[in-house]
Amino acid sequence: MSVFISWYKYHLLRRPILTQSIATGIIFTSGDIIAQGFIEQRGHKTYDFSRTLRLGGFGALIAGPSGATWYRILDKYIDIKKPFLALLTRVTLDQTIYAPSFIATFLSVQSILERQSKEQIVKKFKKVYLPTLINNYKLWPTVQLLNFYFIPLNHRLLVVNTVALGWNTYLSIVNKRGSDIVG
């Protein structure tokens, strides 16, 4: 474990967005493995490896770079002199801009990679988007309040990824159920 932590710290200083993107891909992959292996209890015969690849790819190529960049934008442009007001502003922007668009992007990309039709994607959105967003609001505002207050910029995505292991497991299940509904 210490080898991974040393690698992470070393590369985080040199290539932060790439390093955070790789870590995010690993977390998304792990979330789907947990979803399929432990929650859905799929054996090796029914395990959907392409689903794990889709989620891991999304984490590394979309969630990681967008999250790392988003936190840098918030840190750079929210320059309010009162720390508590700056904190509330960051969390509010995160939950009103990033979270809804992230969930929409996740569902869209997964649906496209699953080769769903436009009609299937719309049906999936109608069924799972709002409940997923509501569940997001039950968890992430508190996480982000603590994250933005206590954690330095370069480590925020890692904190989010740690909590997101459970969240990504949930997203994997929601996406699968939504896909099953639309057939």
Side-chain angles (χ1 to χ4, degrees):
M1 183 67 148
S2 65
V3 172
F4 173 75
I5 292 170
S6 296
W7 177 93
Y8 185 81
K9 286 180 178 180
Y10 175 83
H11 289 285
L12 187 61
L13 292 172
R14 282 148 188 81
R15 310 231 14 221
I17 294 177
L18 177 62
T19 304
Q20 291 171 324
S21 297
I22 291 168
T24 304
I26 292 168
I27 296 292
F28 266 80
T29 299
S30 300
D32 186 61
I33 290 169
I34 292 168
Q36 290 193 61
F38 296 101
I39 296 173
E40 297 170 14
Q41 298 185 348
R42 290 175 172 240
H44 68 277
K45 290 183 180 180
T46 60
Y47 190 90
D48 185 352
F49 289 98
S50 62
R51 174 176 145 185
T52 302
L53 184 61
R54 286 191 304 269
L55 278 128
F58 179 85
L61 300 173
I62 296 173
S66 70
T69 302
W70 175 246
Y71 294 138
R72 281 165 176 72
I73 289 169
L74 289 177
D75 206 56
K76 181 177 180 179
Y77 293 106
I78 305 305
D79 187 26
I80 299 172
K81 301 302 177 213
K82 295 181 180 180
F84 188 70
L85 185 56
L87 172 65
L88 291 179
T89 302
R90 285 185 180 106
V91 172
T92 300
L93 290 172
D94 185 67
Q95 292 302 301
T96 58
I97 296 172
Y98 189 77
S101 60
F102 177 84
I103 293 168
T105 301
F106 174 79
L107 293 172
S108 299
V109 169
Q110 294 305 310
S111 296
I112 291 166
L113 292 175
E114 292 167 3
R115 295 189 170 112
Q116 292 180 0
S117 68
K118 181 180 174 185
E119 294 77 21
Q120 289 173 311
I121 295 170
V122 169
K123 187 175 179 181
K124 180 195 252 183
F125 261 79
K126 286 180 180 178
K127 183 71 177 171
V128 302
Y129 178 78
L130 190 57
T132 305
L133 186 61
I134 290 168
N135 285 330
N136 167 85
Y137 292 139
K138 293 175 185 175
L139 171 67
W140 287 106
T142 302
V143 170
Q144 292 297 48
L145 272 169
L146 297 171
N147 193 23
F148 290 138
Y149 186 76
F150 290 108
I151 307 300
L153 175 62
N154 261 358
H155 297 285
R156 288 181 187 153
L157 191 58
L158 184 59
V159 169
V160 166
N161 282 339
T162 302
V163 176
L165 184 56
W167 179 250
N168 294 341
T169 301
Y170 166 75
L171 284 180
S172 176
I173 292 166
V174 164
N175 184 64
K176 173 69 173 120
R177 288 180 183 160
S179 294
D180 288 348
I181 289 169
V182 300

